[in-house]
Amino acid sequence: MPTLLAVSGATGRMGRCLARLLEGAADLRLTGGIARTPRSREAAAELGYPRIEAPERAAPILEEAAVLVDFSAAEQLARLLELHASMLAGRAIVVGTTGLERPLLRALEAAAERSAVLVSSNFSPGVNLLLGIVEQAARVLPAERYDVEIVEAHHRHKADAPSGTALALGRAVAGGRGASLEPLRRDGRSGRSGERARGEVAFHALRGGEITGEHRVLFLGARERIELAHAAADRSLFAEGALLAARWLAGKPPGYYDMREVLGLE
């Protein structure tokens, strides 16, 4: 019997990609999509969904589903968690939405008391492997001798910067050095920026064209430079990873899970 999925963010780039991949999946089936505004049955069918409803009318779609996959926006995710807290209890929740602020992260942590919740800034196997490599590199390359710069590039439509993946890489650097990211974080430079602070983790965001996603972490020493990089060629990579996570998370007990667990990297 197939696992039933509801997709929030159904009309966006990732929502459309998920629907295309699910057309050929024998073990997964859509109950419907959720978007900021509903669509007619005909319009939903063109996007690959049996129906698409607004968050306020999504209860029937969620009721049928075993897993909610969310690639919407922070505001829509927060609305779903608020409106359908009882309905979501016991259902798995896979979140790929980025730009999540602390209140929404706390709401997801609360949801994990009653549901299996997995939040990932990037569902690529390569990126999740990279996170572990970056953390290990940061342990070996001390802040006193190696400065860290993180450069990311995405398509011109992306709303948040730095990307969620860049921030995850920054947290990996900080974690490898036994620190938290926020006191070390610096976003870009302009004007007379002064001497670089020791231990700083700097972010630079490029936006343009249709770049799917590129990330570079540079460890810059006085006598050597180490670069760790990942480039995605097609966003279906992320959709495939999200479906892998949905398969793995379905039926798991309540808790807060990580994509590296799905991939067997932890």
Side-chain angles (χ1 to χ4, degrees):
M1 183 175 179
T3 300
L4 302 181
L5 303 185
V7 173
S8 176
T11 60
R13 291 172 172 231
M14 286 300 298
R16 295 173 189 229
C17 190
L18 285 165
R20 286 195 298 272
L21 289 177
L22 285 166
E23 287 177 3
D27 61 332
L28 298 172
R29 184 165 62 82
L30 282 167
T31 64
I34 303 166
R36 186 176 302 170
T37 56
R39 298 292 193 274
S40 67
R41 290 275 180 170
E42 294 77 12
E46 288 180 5
L47 295 172
Y49 288 87
R51 52 184 168 171
I52 296 176
E53 297 289 353
E56 292 74 15
R57 301 188 62 181
I61 291 172
L62 295 172
E63 187 175 21
E64 291 180 31
V67 184
L68 168 66
V69 179
D70 189 282
F71 278 97
S72 59
E75 298 78 10
Q76 181 164 312
L77 175 58
R79 188 77 174 133
L80 280 175
L81 293 175
E82 178 186 358
L83 288 171
H84 304 292
S86 298
M87 182 71 68
L88 289 169
R91 290 170 171 78
I93 304 172
V94 175
V95 177
T97 299
T98 59
L100 308 183
E101 301 291 341
R102 190 62 227 167
L104 184 48
L105 289 171
R106 283 197 295 266
L108 287 165
E109 289 165 4
E113 297 176 5
R114 299 195 293 172
S115 299
V117 175
L118 187 152
V119 180
S120 181
S121 58
N122 196 304
F123 288 92
S124 155
V127 163
N128 283 279
L129 180 61
L130 179 63
L131 287 167
I133 296 171
V134 166
E135 184 173 345
Q136 184 177 8
R139 280 198 294 270
V140 175
L141 305 172
E144 294 77 17
R145 294 172 50 203
Y146 292 87
D147 300 321
V148 176
E149 302 276 312
I150 299 174
V151 183
E152 57 97 343
H154 284 84
H155 53 85
R156 66 193 308 273
H157 313 286
K158 187 168 178 59
D160 57 312
S163 70
T165 300
L167 291 172
L169 290 165
R171 286 191 290 271
V173 171
R177 292 175 169 176
S180 61
L181 176 61
E182 285 309 312
L184 306 176
R185 176 177 169 179
R186 178 166 185 168
D187 290 8
R189 293 186 181 85
S190 181
R192 296 178 62 85
S193 58
E195 183 177 349
R196 190 186 199 281
R198 179 174 292 180
E200 185 176 84
V201 180
F203 296 88
H204 309 278
L206 313 180
R207 295 289 178 269
E210 295 297 331
I211 301 170
T212 300
E214 299 176 2
H215 295 85
R216 283 194 301 148
V217 182
L218 293 84
F219 290 86
L220 305 169
R223 290 173 293 178
E224 65 179 347
R225 178 179 71 198
I226 300 95
E227 292 191 27
L228 301 169
H230 179 274
D234 191 313
R235 72 184 63 259
S236 63
L237 171 71
F238 310 129
E240 287 173 356
L243 294 181
L244 179 66
R247 291 180 174 98
W248 184 87
L249 198 64
K252 287 283 192 295
Y256 211 83
Y257 296 87
D258 185 89
M259 190 62 190
R260 284 189 278 183
E261 294 177 81
V262 178
L263 298 169
L265 299 174
E266 289 189 350

